[in-house]
Amino acid sequence: MVSILRSQQPLKAASRTLTSHSRPICRSCSRRSTPIDQRRTISSYGYEQAKALVYSKYGEPQDVLSLHGHSISPAAGTNVVLRMLVAPINPADVNQIQGVYPSKPEMNTALGTSEPAAVAGNEGVAEVISTGSGVKTLSKGDWVIMKSTGMGTWRTHMAIDESKLLKIDDKEGLTPLQVGTVSVNPCTAYRMLLDSAKWGFRGDEWFIQNGANSGVGRAAIQLGKEWGFKSINVIRGREDKEEEQKLKQDLYDIGATKVITEEELMSREIRDQIKEWTHGGREQIKVGLNCVGGKPATALAKFLSPEATMVTYGAMSKQPLMLPASLLIFKEISFTGFWVSKWSDRHPDQKKQTVDDVLRLTREGKFKDIPVQECKWGWKTELDTLRSAVQGTLGGFRPGKGVFVFEKT
């Protein structure tokens, strides 16, 4: 993941803080809100007023995030000015703020903060509102996503070089939510499935995954259905069995072949059940997708066919992955990992191809929106509201992914 603010270097000379001491805009300093709102009416010089969720030290979002107001000068050269439309709140974003994520952004004063800070957020879609004279590939009104991670998307506006962006060539029939959530979960599922096995696309091949009701899990189910892959999908059991059945049905509705709980996965009966589903093992389970770790991941790995691949992309249980030696020696199963941030940074052209294909499926009605919990972000939205939306992302059994939906300001 590249540093969040390094790509914003042109802002050093151009950005102006809106408050004399670069204090966060929050309830406790609401006396400053009137002059800030008045300055937003100054448009004749082309300056865009912006706010960003920033942090200067690592910790819990509710403790370290602040709302920083600043202004962005008119676009010049190959720079464009963007208005954010949608920005997801991914667990990895929260981990980054906590300081426990492998990639840590550079903190600086490029936006005029009183101390070095980074803008949070890594994914989202934005609209181009102005372009510099040297911009060749983008025009006002275009939608764009970030070419790589770490650009700081939790802000109302940003200025950035056109080379750092991927244009959405055809936004017809798409919503900002669909485009704004395509870069992480769908791309993760797409590449893990497609690149981890040699598929025959005959309709008789399987994959198995845990965390099946997550954003990645739902994407994998839908992509697998499109490509003719059958799937065994593992979810955590619920105390409320009616709720559990409803969740299972939700996954069946988007294309899951089988849905079971972790308890069912580790039961004695499941071996014969899976053998029956795969016609005695003649239909191979070629790929396993693991975002949980611990005993559930070990149980999942045991059902992979010889020479299959298990891909780990998360560790929600915070437990290590324990593997019987027999899986490596006798079944020759390969174990690998996938980090979408590194993949995005290394393969921008492949990222664009993947994004375009998922959006094509979305436009055709073959890839459905994920459940979300929207947090509206307008000019007067208070810091506590934004902080709460971020802090709640790591809570269990959430009804949907958290996303910032930006109101036009």
Side-chain angles (χ1 to χ4, degrees):
M1 192 180 290
V2 296
S3 64
I4 285 180
L5 290 177
R6 186 171 297 159
S7 62
Q8 307 299 318
Q9 291 302 315
L11 291 179
K12 285 188 174 180
S15 295
R16 304 180 302 171
T17 184
L18 292 183
T19 59
S20 58
H21 300 289
S22 301
R23 293 181 182 174
I25 303 166
C26 60
R27 246 192 315 245
S28 61
C29 48
S30 59
R31 288 173 296 177
R32 299 179 180 273
S33 63
T34 300
I36 291 174
D37 287 343
Q38 287 176 347
R39 292 192 189 188
R40 283 190 57 75
T41 65
I42 303 174
S43 58
S44 59
Y45 298 103
Y47 283 86
E48 191 63 49
Q49 309 309 321
K51 291 182 181 179
L53 272 177
V54 302
Y55 57 104
S56 297
K57 60 181 180 180
Y58 298 114
E60 290 302 313
Q62 61 190 11
D63 299 325
V64 300
L65 285 178
S66 60
L67 193 56
H68 174 68
H70 60 286
S71 64
I72 300 174
S73 61
T78 56
N79 260 23
V80 299
V81 176
L82 307 176
R83 179 178 77 86
M84 293 303 301
L85 302 176
V86 166
I89 309 168
N90 292 305
D93 301 327
V94 180
N95 294 153
Q96 194 172 60
I97 296 167
Q98 293 169 327
V100 298
Y101 200 63
S103 176
K104 294 179 173 62
E106 176 187 338
M107 295 184 180
N108 57 38
T109 58
L111 297 184
T113 51
S114 58
E115 55 184 334
V119 181
N122 292 284
E123 184 185 18
V125 61
E127 178 185 17
V128 176
I129 59 175
S130 65
T131 62
S133 59
V135 173
K136 305 296 184 185
T137 61
L138 297 171
S139 302
K140 183 178 179 180
D142 285 343
W143 285 5
V144 295
I145 60 174
M146 309 301 138
K147 182 176 287 187
S148 58
T149 54
M151 295 185 185
T153 55
W154 295 357
R155 55 174 117 192
T156 60
H157 302 78
M158 67 190 300
I160 190 170
D161 193 89
E162 67 172 325
S163 64
K164 306 291 185 182
L165 302 168
L166 291 177
K167 178 183 174 182
I168 302 303
D169 294 322
D170 182 8
K171 62 182 182 180
E172 193 69 30
L174 299 171
T175 67
L177 179 62
Q178 291 167 333
V179 178
T181 55
V182 74
S183 298
V184 174
N185 292 337
C187 285
T188 298
Y190 191 109
R191 298 321 318 182
M192 288 194 304
L193 276 181
L194 208 57
D195 299 341
S196 299
K198 292 182 179 179
W199 299 96
F201 302 96
R202 300 180 303 268
D204 60 352
E205 300 161 304
W206 293 74
F207 69 92
I208 184 171
Q209 64 169 340
N210 52 35
N213 61 308
S214 67
V216 172
R218 289 172 179 267
I221 289 170
Q222 295 180 80
L223 292 170
K225 178 185 177 183
E226 174 66 16
W227 296 330
F229 307 157
K230 299 178 182 179
S231 60
I232 301 171
N233 301 278
V234 185
I235 61 171
R236 284 184 293 170
R238 268 58 170 171
E239 290 186 8
D240 185 336
K241 293 307 174 183
E242 186 176 334
E243 179 187 348
E244 179 180 293
Q245 189 57 43
K246 182 179 182 301
L247 175 56
K248 286 185 174 183
Q249 190 58 51
D250 287 344
L251 300 185
Y252 283 125
D253 288 345
I254 61 173
T257 310
K258 302 295 179 181
V259 184
I260 59 176
T261 64
E262 288 182 348
E263 292 77 15
E264 291 172 314
L265 176 69
M266 291 186 278
S267 69
R268 292 183 178 181
E269 296 79 16
I270 196 63
R271 180 173 297 277
D272 289 339
Q273 188 69 76
I274 290 179
K275 190 174 182 180
E276 179 184 333
W277 293 341
T278 59
H279 299 286
R282 291 189 296 276
E283 294 184 354
Q284 292 188 323
I285 304 176
K286 288 190 168 184
V287 172
L289 305 180
N290 166 48
C291 67
V292 176
K295 291 181 179 179
T298 305
L300 182 148
K302 291 179 180 179
F303 294 108
L304 293 172
S305 300
E307 300 182 14
T309 299
M310 181 162 167
V311 188
T312 293
Y313 66 98
M316 287 166 41
S317 70
K318 299 183 180 178
Q319 298 297 315
L321 184 59
M322 307 291 288
L323 301 172
S326 60
L327 297 183
L328 290 87
I329 299 172
F330 303 119
K331 295 184 75 173
E332 297 183 295
I333 293 173
S334 299
F335 294 87
T336 187
F338 183 84
W339 186 15
V340 72
S341 298
K342 184 174 288 186
W343 171 81
S344 296
D345 295 345
R346 286 179 173 175
H347 307 286
D349 293 340
Q350 197 175 58
K351 177 177 180 178
K352 178 169 174 53
Q353 176 269 318
T354 304
V355 166
D356 287 346
D357 202 27
V358 173
L359 293 181
R360 174 187 63 80
L361 294 172
T362 302
R363 195 179 292 107
E364 294 173 357
K366 298 176 180 177
F367 193 89
K368 297 181 180 180
D369 298 354
I370 59 171
V372 298
Q373 285 184 291
E374 295 186 0
C375 176
K376 301 288 186 181
W377 184 340
W379 186 251
K380 295 183 179 181
T381 301
E382 296 190 4
L383 174 62
D384 285 350
T385 299
L386 304 177
R387 278 177 171 172
S388 296
V390 176
Q391 190 68 40
T393 295
L394 296 182
F397 299 117
R398 288 169 58 83
K401 172 191 281 293
V403 295
F404 291 124
V405 177
F406 296 86
E407 299 175 349
K408 195 161 186 176
T409 59

